[in-house]
Amino acid sequence: MNASGLCGVSLSALPSPSHAVSGKTPLRPPPRPRPPVRAPGARRLLGARQRRPPDRHARPRDRRRARDPARTAGHAEDPALAPAASPATAAAIAWVPTAAAAPAARADKVIPKWTRQIELGYSTQEGAKTKQDLTARFTIEGHDKRSNSYRATATAQRSEAQGVVTADRQQADFRWRHDFNRRLFTQTLTTYSSDDLKQINYSVEQQLGGGYRLVDVAKQQVNVGLGAVLQRLSREGYEDYTALLGSAFQDYTLQFDKRLKFTQEATVFVADSPNMSARGGRSTFTGAPADGNYRVKFNAALQSRVTDSLSLNLRYEVDYDHSVPDPNYRSDARLTSSLGYAW
């Protein structure tokens, strides 16, 4: 019988003689280093082809799956086994627009970009003569991505001298212009006007024509063109008349800088008999408003912007209508200054 059996203690459990002599505990192995802690979202920046190295502290089964991508490829491609995203993550992914869908959505919506401006001018004179002038003008312009431009204008003018009305006119027009290329374009112009002084109850004109752009540079543009006009005129003392007119138009724009701009327009209407009347054929009554007559309209404006919204405007207008029976009212020239507001 050995000594270990008598004492009931195994010799392997006793400390070694070196430890017993020195009185120190046995040395432990150093702890294993932990993997570095990454910031949230850093794993998504690694890219699709970069794989995270296997964790040495993982279980043996997890280590084998990490070393062998073939075992995890089927699980990664199966959407049923993919981890479900949180509601906040799903909402963030749905909010971010894709690069392909955003331009397509904008291309479907062709919305014109509009610019509006209103001008008001008023002058009064007292003393040897009493005179008052009031002018109001509203303009809205826009264009879209399909080479279409739009412009609508409404004006009202009234003047009194010595208590006598010398001008009382209202006019509204709408122009649509489409550019085929850099030089050629077509346009339609619809105009409505009335003048109590010239005894015109109403005048409706519909123009259809085409033009050519002579100059098209960064700061200036010159357009000329021809068109046909269908006019419906109602004048006191005359029968309502419908006439087919020919027209030639021209417009010029010069942008000196961001603050100063000059615009000019001119139109000539010509009516040659026989004309189309309301009853068909040639007009038979004397003084027909469109028989062998013509009309010239000229408009020039100089605009100086004080701010991005406020502007000072100086405008010169001439309207000569040879069809007016009274020669004293055929010509109308006006120079006005106004304060404009744009938005």
Side-chain angles (χ1 to χ4, degrees), residues 16-37:
S16 63
S18 60
H19 293 166
V21 174
S22 61
K24 297 182 180 180
T25 59
L27 297 177
R28 297 181 179 179
R32 297 178 180 179
R34 297 183 178 181
V37 180

Side-chain angles (χ1 to χ4, degrees), residues 215-261:
V215 179
D216 186 14
V217 294
K219 292 187 176 182
Q220 59 180 338
Q221 189 178 91
V222 180
N223 301 316
V224 296
L226 300 174
V229 181
L230 184 64
Q231 181 189 36
R232 178 69 175 179
L233 183 64
S234 175
R235 193 193 304 270
E236 293 183 6
Y238 297 90
E239 297 180 7
D240 295 350
Y241 190 81
T242 304
L244 185 61
L245 315 175
S247 66
F249 60 89
Q250 172 266 333
D251 59 80
Y252 174 69
T253 303
L254 175 60
Q255 185 79 44
F256 294 97
D257 50 29
K258 295 182 179 180
R259 299 294 182 183
L260 196 60
K261 181 180 180 180

Side-chain angles (χ1 to χ4, degrees), residues 63-281:
R63 291 182 184 177
R64 288 195 299 270
R65 289 182 178 179
R67 292 194 190 101
D68 191 2
R71 295 188 178 185
T72 59
H75 300 286
E77 295 178 359
D78 191 0
L81 301 178
S86 62
T89 305
I93 295 174
W95 178 82
V96 177
T98 59
R106 289 194 299 265
D108 295 340
K109 298 181 180 179
V110 182
I111 302 177
K113 182 179 179 182
W114 298 102
T115 302
R116 296 161 290 272
Q117 178 168 319
I118 185 171
E119 302 176 19
L120 292 176
Y122 177 76
S123 63
T124 180
Q125 178 182 350
E126 294 183 0
K129 292 184 179 180
T130 303
K131 186 178 181 180
Q132 294 180 349
D133 294 326
L134 176 62
T135 303
R137 183 183 182 91
F138 176 76
T139 305
I140 179 172
E141 296 182 84
H143 61 276
D144 56 29
K145 298 180 180 180
R146 296 180 180 176
S147 303
N148 296 316
S149 60
Y150 313 89
R151 189 196 67 180
T153 306
T155 59
Q157 300 175 351
R158 183 178 177 86
S159 300
E160 292 185 5
Q162 298 297 111
V164 179
V165 178
T166 58
D168 189 1
R169 180 172 56 186
Q170 299 82 33
Q171 179 176 329
D173 62 70
F174 175 78
R175 187 189 72 184
W176 167 79
R177 179 175 290 181
H178 175 75
D179 295 336
F180 294 110
N181 49 45
R182 187 178 177 183
R183 297 293 182 181
L184 297 178
F185 64 89
T186 183
Q187 73 171 30
T188 62
L189 178 63
T190 305
T191 307
Y192 173 86
S193 62
S194 64
D195 195 329
D196 293 343
L197 195 64
K198 297 180 180 180
Q199 299 180 348
I200 297 177
N201 298 326
Y202 65 86
S203 176
V204 181
E205 302 170 1
Q206 179 61 58
Q207 181 197 64
L208 175 62
Y212 183 79
R213 189 165 291 113
L214 295 177
V215 179
D216 186 14
V217 294
K219 292 187 176 182
Q220 59 180 338
Q221 189 178 91
V222 180
N223 301 316
V224 296
L226 300 174
V229 181
L230 184 64
Q231 181 189 36
R232 178 69 175 179
L233 183 64
S234 175
R235 193 193 304 270
E236 293 183 6
Y238 297 90
E239 297 180 7
D240 295 350
Y241 190 81
T242 304
L244 185 61
L245 315 175
S247 66
F249 60 89
Q250 172 266 333
D251 59 80
Y252 174 69
T253 303
L254 175 60
Q255 185 79 44
F256 294 97
D257 50 29
K258 295 182 179 180
R259 299 294 182 183
L260 196 60
K261 181 180 180 180
F262 175 77
T263 58
Q264 177 266 322
E265 296 180 1
T267 307
V268 178
F269 301 93
V270 178
D272 193 11
S273 57
N275 285 315
M276 182 176 63
S277 66
R279 295 170 296 180

